[in-house]
Amino acid sequence: ASAAPPAGTVSGALAAPKPDTAPARSTAGGAPRGGSTAPSASSVAPLEAVSAGALLKLTADVPATVTVVGPKVSETLDTPVRQLKLPAGIYRVTFRSPTFGEPVAAPVELGPGDSRSVHADFRAALPTVSVR
């Protein structure tokens, strides 16, 4: 077994979870006003689901792909990811950059209502990942 990384550091790539529910639809007032038929950001998930989950911000110095793997989630996205909504749990976040051969990864624990930021820095000879 390998030792856990020091607190506050992680490496890895993240992926965004697929929505578990269909977008909410308005039943009052008929057709949407303003000519747009797309649901607003506030209508996509019920408030209870957002408040019970957690948010991740994923960034990297140089652009990278990030994969997030955890309970019922396995998603790959391009950085930056400003707000990735996830259920509470422990995730493996892996960053991959075309300018650096090896991926960097770290575990990230999210509690209900947590908001964390994960950043990979590929500019140094040995890339680093920090979690705040």
Coordinates of all heavy atoms in Angstrom, one line a residue, residues 17 22 92:
P17 N -19.8 14.6 -13.2 CA -20.9 13.6 -13.1 C -22.0 13.9 -14.1 O -22.3 15.0 -14.4 CB -21.4 13.7 -11.7 CG -21.0 15.1 -11.3 CD -19.8 15.5 -12.1
A22 N -33.8 14.5 -14.6 CA -34.1 15.3 -15.7 C -34.3 16.8 -15.3 O -34.6 17.0 -14.2 CB -35.4 14.8 -16.4
R92 N -11.1 10.3 -6.6 CA -9.8 10.3 -7.1 C -9.8 11.3 -8.2 O -10.5 11.1 -9.2 CB -9.4 8.9 -7.6 CG -8.1 8.8 -8.2 CD -7.1 8.6 -7.1 NE -5.7 8.3 -7.6 CZ -4.7 8.4 -6.9 NH1 -4.7 8.8 -5.6 NH2 -3.5 8.2 -7.4

